[in-house]
Amino acid sequence: MIEFKNVTKRYGSKTILHDLSFTIKTGEFVVLIGPSGCGKTTTLRTINRLIEPKPGTVFIDGEDVTQQNAVELRRKIGYVIQQIGLFPNMTVEQNICVVPKLLKYSKEECDRIVRELLALVDMPYEENAHKYPSELSGGQQQRIGVLRALAASPPVILMDEPFGALDPVTRDSLQEEVKRIQKKLKKTIVFVTHDMDEALRLADTIIFMDGGHIVQMASPEEMLQNPASKVIKNFMGKHMNEDGPVAPLLAEEFMKKKVYKVYKSAKTLESIELMSKRDINSLVVIDDDDTYLGTLSIEDIKARGKAGRSIAELINSETMTVGRKDDAKDALDKLLSSTSNYVVVLNDNRTVAGIITRTSTAKAMGEALWGDLSA
Amino acid sequence: MKLINFFTNNSQAMLISVGQHIALVLVSVGIGILIAIPLGILLTRHKKIAVYVLAVAGMVQTIPGLVMLGFALILMGIGTLPALAVLSIYSILPILRNTYTGIIEVLPSYKDAAKGIGMTKSQVLFKVEFPLALPAIVSGIRISAVYIVSWATLAGMIGAGGLGDWIWTGLATYNTDYILAGAIPSAILAFAFSALIGLVQKLITPKGLRRNA
């Protein structure tokens, strides 16, 4: 557990951190985010005393960091920085084992650690251990950077925009790996970024900072739903809807508009004819003023209908309906819980707007993810 | 032909002079290294003072060699010792400057990483800063050595021995054979030192840095 208690940092007359107090639980992945100059990196660096957290205190597992020897403290905390943190004069193996060596681990122990860690990121020992950083790609270098931080099995790892300089594809896969490793090894990670995507992806808890203050500390879900300020909202960018928190998806976004309707005055055989022509097994029945009355299924006609009679008495008025501006979640709940294959979507004046079927839902999802699928 | 005859007739004496010359260079550059590297490292820890120290060292460097040798003659008399003193002073600056800038120019991210993972100040220096600055430092030594080979000929003037003796004798007696007997070997020496140290530089450059070099 990492606990900040009234940590303030001033440089001259400028206050970088304003009286920060918060707690990071053991095993939690916490992301510090905010506009540049918000104090996120400073906050990170007070944890391993690259910056002294005075006045105020940072506790790790109840121990005041300022009461410990700074060098020994840092050896117990993993540290990954942006891009070029690997020592160019050392091989991959030597880089990974820097901290264990400082801690006087035996050579065999170091060797075992290097092999184990390289296996963790799918970089074969024989192929990579003796290379120099300049012989690796940017992504591989940063993988080694992460491994170096893991080498002496510190419970806490600090990461300062580690993937900022990588291309999007490499960044994606490294984020995935870090998240996987964190879960597997149960590390407490404090991670600085200015990329909201990255924060939403990695964090258990996001701490949003601005001007040296914590604006909000919340789970990604909660931050998306209830961002505490305009700045956060702007940061969320594409994850947010303009006029509110998360845009609730509307029922109309999931419906298909092409609906086969019959007036209640229609006759049974006529309706069957219509259904068989369209290869469907039910119709939406509307009143003379075009308002919704119910549905008519082929089973109902077969069971109770008589040739030449009006369909009026066969109308099933129990089919679920939703308004087109209703939350799509309600519509989907109704669709999944009802026995019928669709939910009818109504306009405000109770005329029929469309129906939501399992197919239309899948299509809408697909379009949201990959764009127009109508072709 | 006459020159070759002169060289063969005097080969014994010339070899002794070459030996003396090499000794002069090695000793004075050695003293220069011993002073300049620790001083350069020290200065990187006190950057405010460094500006002044480097400025003073630069000024000393601009004093003509003959003037310095004159001072040494007045203060310490004739012989090898005053010559060594002057040559050592001259050898300091290139090494000092390269040590200082070499270490200062190690990327801050390496130092930050080194400190952040728990290296002590001296570990940061010896495991990261110094190895990364080493190519620059050696190149300072190389510049220094080449300088000193030529300046050591001047030192012959105050009785330091070495190849300078031949040149001064030649100048005093208008004998070109003598002048060339000093000048040619010292030119060759300068090349040799440069090439040799260049080789050393390549060998000690950390492997990971060689590609960028």
Side-chain angles (χ1 to χ4, degrees):
Chain A
M1 195 174 77
I2 303 170
E3 195 182 358
F4 277 67
K5 245 191 194 158
N6 309 106
V7 173
T8 298
K9 189 75 213 170
R10 289 190 195 90
Y11 288 114
S13 61
K14 217 176 158 220
T15 307
I16 310 292
L17 302 178
H18 292 271
D19 196 26
L20 300 184
S21 296
F22 62 92
T23 304
I24 295 168
K25 291 195 288 274
T26 302
E28 202 175 9
F29 200 126
V30 171
V31 174
L32 291 164
I33 190 169
S36 52
C38 69
K40 52 189 191 288
T41 296
T42 309
T43 305
L44 181 90
R45 290 164 72 94
T46 57
I47 298 174
N48 65 358
R49 283 183 65 194
L50 283 172
I51 292 171
E52 292 295 333
K54 295 237 157 193
T57 332
V58 176
F59 297 95
I60 297 178
D61 293 328
E63 281 186 67
D64 183 347
V65 294
T66 58
Q67 297 304 308
Q68 302 176 49
N69 176 295
V71 167
E72 279 165 30
L73 173 79
R74 290 179 197 135
R75 289 178 187 173
K76 290 188 292 187
I77 300 176
Y79 185 51
V80 187
I81 63 170
Q82 192 169 358
Q83 211 184 13
I84 26 180
L86 294 184
F87 304 123
N89 53 325
M90 301 181 192
T91 61
V92 165
E93 182 167 30
Q94 290 165 333
N95 263 293
I96 293 176
C97 251
V98 167
V99 184
K101 252 186 158 171
L102 292 175
L103 292 168
K104 310 254 186 297
Y105 284 28
S106 70
K107 213 184 157 311
E108 294 73 37
E109 184 73 359
C110 286
D111 199 54
R112 187 187 59 76
I113 290 171
V114 172
R115 284 171 189 276
E116 230 175 73
L117 288 175
L118 283 174
L120 198 61
V121 293
D122 273 328
M123 289 174 68
Y125 177 91
E126 281 69 24
E127 217 175 284
N128 295 290
H130 305 293
K131 280 187 180 165
Y132 284 90
S134 56
E135 297 171 281
L136 301 176
S137 70
Q140 287 174 321
Q141 285 186 26
Q142 205 46 301
R143 272 188 188 91
I144 303 304
V146 172
L147 296 188
R148 184 175 67 188
L150 291 167
S153 325
V156 176
I157 296 170
L158 309 179
M159 300 190 166
D160 190 0
E161 301 207 29
F163 309 141
L166 301 176
D167 66 89
V169 179
T170 313
R171 186 161 59 223
D172 271 12
S173 67
L174 268 155
Q175 286 167 350
E176 225 164 83
E177 266 168 55
V178 162
K179 188 76 191 167
R180 181 173 56 83
I181 291 170
Q182 185 251 348
K183 286 224 167 102
K184 190 174 170 192
L185 305 178
K186 303 192 173 53
K187 302 290 181 190
T188 307
I189 294 186
V190 185
F191 188 108
V192 166
T193 183
H194 58 259
D195 177 359
M196 192 44 105
D197 268 338
E198 191 163 68
L200 292 170
R201 210 161 165 195
L202 294 172
D204 295 320
T205 301
I206 299 177
I207 297 180
F208 194 99
M209 296 186 66
D210 193 16
H213 295 276
I214 292 182
V215 184
Q216 188 174 17
M217 180 168 175
S219 68
E221 185 68 17
E222 197 186 326
M223 197 165 281
L224 279 168
Q225 274 177 12
N226 304 305
S229 81
K230 187 103 187 162
V231 191
I232 300 183
K233 224 182 273 182
N234 290 341
F235 239 79
M236 300 271 193
K238 65 180 176 186
H239 301 284
M240 300 288 295
N241 185 281
E242 277 181 15
D243 45 31
V246 194
L249 288 165
L250 302 179
E252 64 180 358
E253 290 172 64
F254 285 86
M255 73 186 183
K256 81 177 214 210
K257 291 192 185 110
K258 200 167 179 189
V259 183
Y260 297 103
K261 291 170 280 196
V262 286
Y263 287 103
K264 67 172 183 195
S265 52
K267 302 285 189 287
T268 47
L269 290 181
E270 180 189 348
S271 305
I272 291 172
E273 178 69 11
L274 184 62
M275 283 190 247
S276 65
K277 245 191 215 157
R278 306 283 179 219
D279 204 17
I280 52 178
N281 54 21
S282 75
L283 294 168
V284 173
V285 185
I286 50 176
D287 210 339
D288 297 334
D289 59 358
D290 287 351
T291 55
Y292 172 77
L293 279 176
T295 59
L296 173 72
S297 73
I298 192 122
E299 286 85 12
D300 290 336
I301 300 177
K302 277 181 181 161
R304 302 187 280 127
K306 292 195 178 76
R309 297 284 295 274
S310 156
I311 58 170
E313 66 246 33
L314 302 173
I315 296 170
N316 171 10
S317 57
E318 278 164 18
T319 303
M320 303 280 193
T321 63
V322 291
R324 69 183 297 166
K325 296 288 180 198
D326 285 357
D327 194 332
K329 193 167 175 300
D330 294 344
L332 297 185
D333 282 346
K334 284 179 178 171
L335 177 65
L336 294 172
S337 62
S338 84
T339 48
S340 87
N341 292 326
Y342 55 91
V343 174
V344 181
V345 183
L346 301 179
N347 292 317
D348 290 343
N349 59 8
R350 292 201 56 79
T351 55
V352 176
I355 57 172
I356 295 176
T357 64
R358 291 184 166 88
T359 315
S360 74
T361 308
K363 187 162 175 268
M365 295 282 218
E367 283 179 355
L369 287 172
W370 301 294
D372 197 2
L373 297 174
S374 56
Chain B
M1 275 310 110
K2 189 173 141 272
L3 187 65
I4 292 171
N5 283 335
F6 181 83
F7 278 20
T8 39
N9 292 338
N10 294 285
S11 61
Q12 201 73 21
M14 278 173 70
L15 273 178
I16 289 169
S17 288
V18 168
Q20 281 175 341
H21 206 90
I22 291 174
L24 271 177
V25 173
L26 289 182
V27 171
S28 52
V29 174
I31 292 171
I33 290 172
L34 288 180
I35 295 171
I37 292 181
L39 185 62
I41 292 171
L42 201 69
L43 289 181
T44 60
R45 268 62 190 159
H46 305 278
K47 287 181 201 162
K48 279 180 195 156
I49 304 171
V51 185
Y52 301 108
V53 174
L54 288 173
V56 169
M59 248 151 59
V60 170
Q61 197 78 5
T62 60
I63 301 172
L66 279 173
V67 175
M68 282 285 273
L69 285 168
F71 277 129
L73 185 70
I74 294 163
L75 292 174
M76 304 172 71
I78 262 179
T80 312
L81 213 60
L84 276 178
V86 170
L87 294 177
S88 299
I89 289 172
Y90 276 111
S91 76
I92 288 174
L93 184 74
I95 305 171
L96 180 68
R97 198 167 38 204
N98 278 32
T99 304
Y100 180 76
T101 51
I103 289 182
I104 289 290
E105 280 171 6
V106 169
L107 287 179
S109 59
Y110 297 141
K111 297 180 209 172
D112 184 52
K115 198 177 166 198
I117 62 172
M119 286 192 189
T120 61
K121 276 181 187 164
S122 62
Q123 283 167 336
V124 175
L125 175 63
F126 290 113
K127 284 179 188 280
V128 179
E129 292 179 291
F130 194 74
L132 293 181
L134 202 52
I137 295 172
V138 175
S139 115
I141 295 172
R142 186 178 179 177
I143 296 167
S144 209
V146 174
Y147 268 147
I148 299 303
V149 169
S150 62
W151 291 43
T153 55
L154 285 183
M157 189 185 72
I158 59 167
L163 293 164
D165 279 354
W166 297 79
I167 297 175
W168 290 110
T169 308
L171 285 173
T173 58
Y174 293 108
N175 186 326
T176 41
D177 286 349
Y178 269 89
I179 295 175
L180 290 174
I184 293 173
S186 62
I188 294 170
L189 264 189
F191 276 119
F193 266 106
S194 178
L196 202 70
I197 299 173
L199 197 70
V200 171
Q201 190 176 14
K202 253 189 205 145
L203 287 176
I204 59 152
T205 300
K207 272 192 201 125
L209 294 180
R210 281 186 206 170
R211 315 186 126 215
N212 319 334

